[in-house]
Amino acid sequence: MTPPGRRVAVVTGAAGGLGRAIATALHADGWSVLLTDLDPAAVAAAAAPLGGWSAALDVRDEDACAAVAARAADRGDLALWVNNAGVLTTGPSWEHDGPTRRRLFDVNTLGAMNGTLAALAVMRGQGHGHVLNVVSLAGLIAAPGETVYAASKHALLAFSLGTLSDLRMAGYRRVHVSCLCPDGIWTPMLHDRLDDPGAVASFTGSMLTARQVAARAVRLAHRPRPVVSLPRWRGAQVRLLDALPRLAVALTPLVQAAGRAGQRRQHRRSTRPDRR
């Protein structure tokens, strides 16, 4: 059993990529971390060096999220829930069929909503806690080639900030919701997209490592903020473009060219993808 008072964290989509990096960084920071993922064998392997605490979780299942929250609370103080699970599909919006659109929203938006509400059901009872939603810069601006993905992340951002305001209106001052909006991250989500014209938006800025984003997530866990972009200058850049939609649309060819250059640059850097 976790010692009384020890901080407990839940991370979704933790079998690999960013989720595993966040779980590893939290574990190193002294948290007791419950790693969850759709793939039970993969997440058990990821959890083995971190104390071996894992659970299969389909974030689209509201009852399953509630059960994970209750299981985490049984171990101690559920102080942090990280909604990291997500999927990416690229291409023009009209090329996405109905099931594809639903899957993006079911996982990226509704799945994170399920996790948030499951965590808040415990945290509101405790009177404290923190939900950290991994949103992406695509939640701050309409990313060409990733339109439906960006829409799902915009919805998550709106839900997160609205829920934070709802908590304050209800008198919960020590229950927090934060949004982490990183630039493109070199994880398996992008490993096979170096030649994908629909993914150019993810390669237009700083290609981050999972460890860099995980380190920022740990700092955010200690000091909640409504929205944090990584790197900060990219957040300012995309917010400016979002405020000037005519300019943003006019610059689409330049965005495409910058993204293709970024893909070529990343291809040169990585003869073999780093899957840590």
Side-chain angles (χ1 to χ4, degrees):
M1 292 290 290
T2 300
R6 186 173 183 184
R7 300 167 301 173
V8 174
V10 173
V11 182
T12 70
L18 179 58
R20 184 172 185 172
I22 291 174
T24 300
L26 288 170
H27 177 77
D29 191 51
W31 295 76
S32 177
V33 187
L34 173 55
L35 287 75
T36 73
D37 197 273
L38 190 61
D39 185 335
V43 77
L50 308 179
W53 195 22
S54 68
L57 176 64
D58 184 343
V59 296
R60 297 169 294 183
D61 186 334
E62 183 178 357
D63 292 338
C65 288
V68 165
R71 178 178 173 185
D74 284 343
R75 279 276 187 117
D77 186 13
L78 177 55
L80 180 67
W81 181 294
V82 181
N83 284 307
N84 165 77
V87 292
L88 170 66
T89 302
T90 62
S93 58
W94 58 83
E95 291 185 357
H96 292 10
D97 59 16
T100 298
R101 293 192 300 271
R102 281 190 292 273
R103 180 170 179 261
L104 284 165
F105 276 86
D106 281 349
V107 176
N108 297 345
T109 310
L110 295 175
M113 290 171 69
N114 289 339
T116 298
L117 296 173
L120 291 182
V122 174
M123 293 172 180
R124 287 186 296 114
Q126 296 174 163
H128 64 92
H130 186 188
V131 175
L132 196 166
N133 288 328
V134 179
V135 175
S136 156
L137 282 183
L140 302 178
I141 191 170
E146 299 176 359
T147 305
V148 181
Y149 171 79
S152 71
K153 293 296 189 175
H154 272 67
L156 176 56
L157 183 69
F159 169 79
S160 301
L161 296 179
T163 298
L164 178 59
S165 295
D166 287 342
L167 287 165
R168 296 297 177 266
M169 289 175 61
Y172 295 101
R173 303 296 174 188
R174 297 178 59 218
V175 181
H176 306 281
V177 181
S178 297
C179 296
L180 180 59
C181 301
D183 208 344
I185 312 169
W186 188 237
T187 64
M189 184 178 281
L190 291 180
H191 284 169
D192 61 350
R193 298 189 183 275
L194 291 175
D195 297 310
D196 181 358
V200 292
S202 293
F203 293 87
T204 55
S206 305
M207 184 57 60
L208 302 168
T209 67
R211 287 181 177 178
Q212 287 175 309
V213 181
R216 187 64 186 92
V218 171
R219 297 204 308 276
L220 186 56
H222 286 287
R223 186 181 177 187
R225 293 175 57 188
V227 179
V228 170
S229 57
L230 186 67
R232 183 181 298 178
W233 69 268
R234 279 285 278 169
Q237 181 187 66
V238 300
R239 283 180 178 275
L240 176 62
L241 289 175
D242 188 54
L244 302 169
R246 289 182 62 186
L247 177 61
V249 172
L251 291 177
T252 298
L254 292 179
V255 171
Q256 184 178 34
R260 285 298 298 135
Q263 286 174 318
R264 291 192 294 270
R265 185 166 56 249
Q266 186 63 29
H267 190 275
R268 290 193 297 269
R269 288 174 179 170
S270 51
T271 55
R272 183 173 59 188
D274 180 3
R275 296 182 179 270
R276 290 178 295 175

